[in-house]
Each structure stands twice: as structure tokens, then as C-alpha cells.
Amino acid sequence: MIETRNFRIARAIVLTALSIFIAVPLYVILSTSFKPLKDVSGVFRWIPETLTIQPYIDMWTTVPLARYFSNSIIVTVTATVLSVIIAVLAAYAVARLSFRGKKPFTLIVLSTQMFPGILFLLPLFLMFTQIRTSTGLQLQGTLGGLIVTYLTFTLPFAIWMLSGYFAAIPAALEEAAMIDGTSRLGALWHVVLPVAKPGIIAVAVYSFITAWSEVLFASVLTNESTKTLAVGLRAYASQSDVLWNQLMAASVTLSLPVLIAFILVQKHLVAGLASGAVK
Amino acid sequence: MSQPTVVAGPPETDPPTKTPPSPPITADDQTPYVVEEPRKPKRSKLGYALVAPAAFMELFIHIIPMLLGVWIAFLGLTQLNITNWTTAPFVGLQNFINGLDPRGTIGQQFFETLGRTLLYTIIVVGLSWVLGMAAAVFLNSAFRGRAILRTFFLVPYALPGFVTTIAWAFMFNQRDGAVNQVLVDTLHLFGDDRPFWLLGSNSFIAMIIVNVWQLWPFAFLMLMAALQTIPSEVYEAASLDGASLWKQFRRITLPMIKPANAILLLVTSLWTFNQFNVPYVLFGQSSPKEATLLSPLIYQNSFVSWNFGLGGAMSVLLLIALLGASLVYIRLVLKNSGEDND
């Protein structure tokens, strides 16, 4: 676009306004997390009077934050790894092989990623109840059960994104390997996966981020000992008051891993998302 | 971000980019690559084996739950028989009649919520699109600090939604929140009354602001990528002809990103229409009645007032509506990524 003076002025105004819009909540989170408790009750002060790291120390003992943390990590990492493994196989088949039922399979994968968790929550809840009654296997309230429900959104996304990545890799690469005597699975393992690595990592990171932020399933299907961070943070609010400074300190702490992961793979993630495979 | 380096195409079509010169490849959609003389049954078997784990999981987490969801809409399911739900009585259309009759109180609430959710979706998606578009257009021009801003604008998208919603809840706090600090204490906009933002009709506005804050970076991201596919010569030619920037935007930018726009608007509309996290984290289990959306209403019926059949009936209607929308989405995605891959 050819830049006129008006264009530059408009650009400066719009981008400044948007930056402020983004920055204000981030500033509130950060500054509150370094305030002593007496400074967070009462009207909000933009310039903190005292700065302290005490909230970052106290937050671990006020609520069982470490347990929520480990629950979140177990659930998120397992769901991510599981869905990536299952999705790599399925996506490769979808991208490269022909088999009957391929079309319905892709249609189901594509459409279910548009459905909200609320549609699956109650049925899964009832299925878990039924499984316990008939087999004694406890899923509701366990991390294992939660992992299964997280696959409802990580798996279709991973299959769809990865089949796109695989389809974009020239098939000649595997063909060459197969002419050299490698099996198709061997070609997938030795040729396709290394090439697709950035895409796989991006998909894994995105699944990780979505699972890390999940609220609905976690709020119904966990109990006191299996709560994840997303619902566990409520514990900073008591009947009478909310420990905002510790809550914000915990928020900063639990946001850092996903923020860093996002920035690291941003380029690949953005490319994949932007090229048509959304969510 | 640079040009999309990895292209997510539809599984059905051949990767049209970087087609290897040899061996020759058929353009047939159904048989992607014929290398040597592959024995068809063997190939199919491997396909089934690779898809099997995914198909099993899809069956367990999506297909059976959806069928079950439809089935329980016809059951008299309450907190009394929930643990033994297979024995719940079949009540036919009773849940639909009780829950969705516009003359009854519950039905009235349902249709009001539906209308509110649609309005909410239009406002949130519209605002997010405008902000995303503005950011994308201006960041598509070269200036210092552009790369930093581009990453910074994606931060709300990367942060866990519940974290930023909690932060907004803190800011909207009536007594000591940052919003009232600015509006009341600094700008003296409401006299001495500090308005409540998380109660009453203001809660709808608060919920919109929070959702737009989280959503617009996604619109920005998608639009930015779409804009980069437009060659700059087109603009240069247009400005030589004396077309104003606004005219260039309307005549070149908008038409050329139409497919990406369609997908973006549909996807963000579906997400917003299904929004659960923002109201749940902002208001708790029950939203103020002026700010109740559809997903939270179903949740409330099912897990707060234990009226599972009613929640099920509402879910079925939602499911039907979303099936229609996702069919449109699938058509758009398949068509669009077919065109985009060059």
C-alpha cells in the first residue's frame, strides 16, 4: 500500500490504541501480582506503593497450587501426546492412502471440532457412570477420565492440521525411500516425520495451550484432588474476600509456560492456522 | 508472520504445490499417488490400521456421546436416577414441550437466551473483525517496531482465557476495580455512583469487552496472513490510477481476501455462539439473567438445577443448528484450501 501522511497518522493512532487495549489488563495482572494484600483491597492504584514478591511465595501455601499444577501438567501433556500419536497415524492415512470410509471419517473429524464441549459433557458424564457401574472402572473425577474428555477437542484439531501438513510434503520423498526398499511405515518414520517435525511441534503446542486453558470439563469432572489450575484458582476466593495479589501471581506463573511455548513456535503455528485449518 | 510455509490442504485433494516432476501423478482426487504397482487391498489394509485408533476414539468421544445426547433428550433424567440413568423413564417429547414452549417460563427463557446469544455473537464477531482488520492493514505496511507489535498483538490469544477473564473480573470489580477507577474517579462519568459491571444489564457489555479482547487477535492473525497473499503490484497499479486508500481497501483488499474472510467469520461466530468460559469465569455457575448465553444455560439446566432432560433437549436443538453451520464450514474450508494451495 502506498503510504500517505494521513495513512501514517491513522496507523499511529490505531496501533497505539490497540496496544493500550492489550497492555492494560496485562499491566493489571503483573502489577497486582507484586502488591502486598493491603494494597489490593481498596480502589485500584496504577502505580504500586510497595513492590513485593510475597504473593509469589504465599500463593503455594494458601491453596494446593502445586497439586493443581501437577494435575494440569499430567492431563495436558498426556492428552497432547496421545492425540498427536493417534493423529499422526490417522492424518498420514488421510493424506496419502485411499481406503473406504475415508470421506465420512474426515467429515466427522472436521465437523466435530466445531461443536462445543457442552454437547459432549453430559453424555460423557453418563458414559463414565455406566462404565463404573458395569466394570468398576472409575473415570469420573480421575485424571484419566479428564484426559479422555480433552481428546474431544485436541484430537480432531490434530488430525486436521497434520493431514494438511502431510499433504503439503512432496510424496516423492517417501516414494524415493520406498523404491530403496523401505516399507511405507518406515518411510513415514524416517522420511515424513522428520520433515513434518515443525508442524507436529506446532500442533502439539497448540493442543497443549487449549487443554491448559480448558474450564468446562475440568469444572464438572474433577474433584478436590484432581482439580486443574483452571478451576483450582477459585480457591483464592473465600466467602468474604479474594486474594487478588496471589491470584494474579499464580496466573502469571501458570501463563508463562504457555506464553513461552507460543512465542517459540509462533511462526509455524501461525502458518498452519492461517492456511485454512482453524481450531 | 511470513508467507504460510506449511499449507494445510484438504485431505481429498492432491498437494498441488511442489508436485514432483516424476513420477507422473494422476490428477484424480480419489487415487492420490500411484508409484509402483500397488496392490490395492494391501494399501487399504494399512489405511484402516492407521486410522483405527483415531476411529475408535472418535467413536468413543464424539459419535456415541452425540447419539446418547439425542437419546437422553427423550428421557426423564433427574438427580434421582442420574447414577442409574439407564432405568430413567422414556418421556417422549415431554422435555421439548416443557422446555421449549415459548409460552412457558422455561421456553421463554430459552428463546430469549437464543436471541441474546445471536446478538452477542454479532457484536463480538463484528468488533473483533474490525479491530483485527485495522491491525492487519496497518501492520501490513513497513515501519520500525512492526515485528514486535505483531508478536505483542498475539499475546491475548496465547494466554489462557481463564487467566485474562479473571483479570478482567478484577478490573470490573465495582468497589475497587480499575475500570471504575478510570471512569468514576478520573473521568467523573457517573457522578458518585460506582456502576456494577458484573451484575444487571452492564454484565452483557462487560462480557462483550472480555470476549473481544480475547478474540480479535485471532481475526488479526488470519487477516494478516490473507493480506500477505495480495501482491503489492495490484495496489501500486491502483494508486497510479489515483484510487484512494479507502477505495483500494474496498475494491482490492476486501474482494481478494473474501474466502479467508468467510472462514474467519464463520469460525469466530461458532466459537462465540458456543462461548462458555468467559461467562463462567466472569460470573460463576449462574450468569446474571441479562448475560446468560446458550452454552451456560444448558450447563445451568444440567448441572446446577439438575434438569438433565431439559438440558438434553436444548442440546439437541443446538446440535442441529451447529450441524448445519459446520456443513457450511466444511464446504468453505475444502473449497478454499483447494484454491489457496498455489
Side-chain angles (χ1 to χ4, degrees):
Chain A
M1 219 171 261
I2 309 300
E3 295 176 22
T4 59
R5 194 164 161 267
N6 284 343
F7 179 81
R8 286 207 196 94
I9 293 170
R11 179 171 72 193
I13 293 171
V14 168
L15 295 184
T16 309
L18 287 173
S19 302
I20 292 171
F21 185 44
I22 294 184
V24 164
L26 301 181
Y27 174 77
V28 168
I29 298 175
L30 261 182
S31 65
T32 309
S33 76
F34 288 104
K35 285 179 181 175
L37 187 59
K38 65 171 176 46
D39 284 5
V40 288
S41 46
V43 172
F44 185 79
R45 272 199 214 97
W46 293 91
I47 318 276
E49 284 193 330
T50 3
L51 287 177
T52 166
I53 56 160
Q54 204 57 39
Y56 285 88
I57 298 164
D58 294 341
M59 66 182 187
W60 299 97
T61 43
T62 319
V63 309
L65 186 65
R67 186 166 71 215
Y68 302 151
F69 236 107
S70 73
N71 286 341
S72 272
I73 290 173
I74 293 169
V75 172
T76 314
V77 170
T78 317
T80 301
V81 170
L82 269 181
S83 58
V84 167
I85 292 174
I86 299 174
V88 160
L89 302 176
Y92 183 76
V94 166
R96 285 287 195 269
L97 305 171
S98 69
F99 54 93
R100 206 179 300 167
K102 179 162 137 180
K103 201 156 190 191
F105 177 76
T106 34
L107 285 182
I108 287 169
V109 167
L110 248 182
S111 55
T112 47
Q113 63 175 330
M114 307 308 314
F115 293 167
I118 193 76
L119 282 181
F120 303 114
L121 176 63
L122 180 56
L124 282 168
F125 180 82
L126 295 177
M127 281 166 72
F128 286 1
T129 316
Q130 193 56 30
I131 288 171
R132 192 189 49 209
T133 326
S134 47
T135 69
L137 179 68
Q138 176 77 22
L139 285 170
Q140 199 202 312
T142 65
L143 295 180
L146 199 60
I147 290 165
V148 171
T149 65
Y150 279 21
L151 291 181
T152 58
F153 54 89
T154 55
L155 186 60
F157 167 78
I159 294 177
W160 174 240
M161 286 283 282
L162 287 175
S163 63
Y165 281 118
F166 289 159
I169 297 173
L173 285 179
E174 304 142 71
E175 282 150 15
M178 282 159 72
I179 289 166
D180 289 345
T182 321
S183 69
R184 197 170 256 287
L185 283 182
L188 168 64
W189 181 257
H190 293 293
V191 180
V192 180
L193 288 192
V195 178
K197 208 168 136 196
I200 294 173
I201 292 173
V203 170
V205 166
Y206 191 80
S207 301
F208 182 87
I209 292 175
T210 8
W212 192 254
S213 324
E214 206 284 331
V215 174
L216 176 64
F217 292 118
S219 73
V220 173
L221 297 171
T222 58
N223 57 35
E224 200 35 62
S225 65
T226 54
K227 263 184 192 165
T228 61
L229 287 165
V231 286
L233 287 194
R234 270 167 193 275
Y236 286 106
S238 66
Q239 291 285 11
S240 51
D241 229 337
V242 185
L243 302 169
W244 287 111
N245 55 346
Q246 292 186 42
L247 180 52
M248 294 302 161
S251 298
V252 171
T253 313
L254 71 88
S255 298
L256 278 179
V258 285
L259 194 63
I260 292 168
F262 182 87
I263 291 172
L264 285 180
V265 302
Q266 193 222 115
K267 228 175 182 160
H268 297 291
L269 198 60
V270 165
L273 280 171
S275 51
V278 254
K279 180 151 190 194
Chain B
M1 70 231 75
S2 57
Q3 281 281 3
T5 44
V6 189
V7 183
E12 268 82 7
T13 42
D14 287 327
T17 31
K18 309 160 210 142
T19 18
S22 83
I25 282 158
T26 61
D28 189 343
D29 277 352
Q30 295 307 312
T31 51
Y33 283 94
V34 185
V35 196
E36 310 152 39
E37 186 49 12
R39 286 191 299 129
K40 223 179 177 143
K42 193 185 164 204
R43 216 169 46 153
S44 308
K45 239 189 235 162
L46 181 62
Y48 288 132
L50 293 183
V51 165
F56 173 77
M57 283 318 298
E58 285 290 321
L59 193 70
F60 187 76
I61 59 180
H62 284 140
I63 302 178
I64 296 178
M66 270 197 285
L67 296 176
L68 195 59
V70 175
W71 172 242
I72 52 182
F74 298 96
L75 297 182
L77 202 57
T78 61
Q79 71 268 46
L80 300 176
N81 53 26
I82 185 78
T83 48
N84 212 355
W85 59 274
T86 39
T87 59
F90 185 84
V91 296
L93 290 176
Q94 204 54 50
N95 287 324
F96 290 89
I97 295 166
N98 289 348
L100 311 174
D101 178 2
R103 286 160 301 181
T105 34
I106 304 176
Q108 217 169 9
Q109 189 199 13
F110 173 76
F111 286 102
E112 267 172 26
T113 305
L114 189 65
R116 185 182 307 115
T117 310
L118 284 172
L119 178 71
Y120 178 74
T121 306
I122 293 169
I123 299 176
V124 168
V125 170
L127 286 175
S128 302
W129 187 88
V130 170
L131 296 186
M133 192 76 217
V137 165
F138 288 121
L139 276 177
N140 205 26
S141 56
F143 62 95
R144 263 200 316 165
R146 176 177 171 223
I148 295 169
L149 271 190
R150 215 158 49 184
T151 307
F152 182 59
F153 280 9
L154 291 176
V155 166
Y157 182 62
L159 288 179
F162 66 90
V163 164
T164 52
T165 310
I166 290 173
W168 277 103
F170 178 49
M171 289 166 64
F172 278 125
N173 195 322
Q174 184 254 353
R175 191 170 48 98
D176 42 17
V179 172
N180 276 347
Q181 198 278 323
V182 173
L183 296 181
V184 180
D185 301 341
T186 311
L187 301 173
H188 305 286
L189 281 183
F190 297 92
D192 284 336
D193 289 339
R194 303 180 87 78
F196 283 94
W197 291 101
L198 302 177
L199 296 172
S201 53
N202 284 342
S203 54
F204 187 68
I205 301 170
M207 186 169 63
I208 286 175
I209 294 173
V210 179
N211 206 346
V212 169
W213 193 85
Q214 294 176 0
L215 188 67
W216 80 265
F218 180 77
F220 158 67
L221 190 155
M222 301 289 285
L223 291 169
M224 183 86 193
L227 289 187
Q228 284 175 349
T229 62
I230 307 176
S232 57
E233 295 85 40
V234 187
Y235 290 114
E236 280 153 25
S239 56
L240 280 181
D241 291 342
S244 67
L245 286 179
W246 176 242
K247 206 166 184 181
Q248 289 177 34
F249 176 74
R250 277 190 39 224
R251 294 285 170 80
I252 302 172
T253 312
L254 281 185
M256 287 194 78
I257 61 166
K258 212 170 157 192
N261 239 340
I263 293 183
L264 170 69
L265 289 176
L266 188 65
V267 169
T268 49
S269 300
L270 280 169
W271 289 347
T272 313
F273 189 77
N274 295 331
Q275 183 58 260
F276 175 82
N277 291 3
V278 168
Y280 186 79
V281 178
L282 210 50
F283 308 124
Q285 285 201 327
S286 301
S287 313
K289 69 177 183 341
E290 295 91 344
T292 305
L293 301 180
L294 207 49
S295 274
L297 181 70
I298 294 174
Y299 175 90
Q300 234 164 282
N301 278 314
S302 305
F303 294 97
V304 182
S305 45
W306 306 104
N307 202 339
F308 296 103
L310 185 59
M314 291 177 179
S315 301
V316 168
L317 289 190
L318 181 61
L319 180 67
I320 294 169
L322 290 176
L323 270 177
S326 54
L327 282 181
V328 177
Y329 166 72
I330 287 166
R331 290 194 78 126
L332 280 173
V333 168
L334 292 184
K335 195 171 151 249
N336 181 56
S337 38
E339 288 166 357
D340 263 5
N341 280 358
D342 43 48

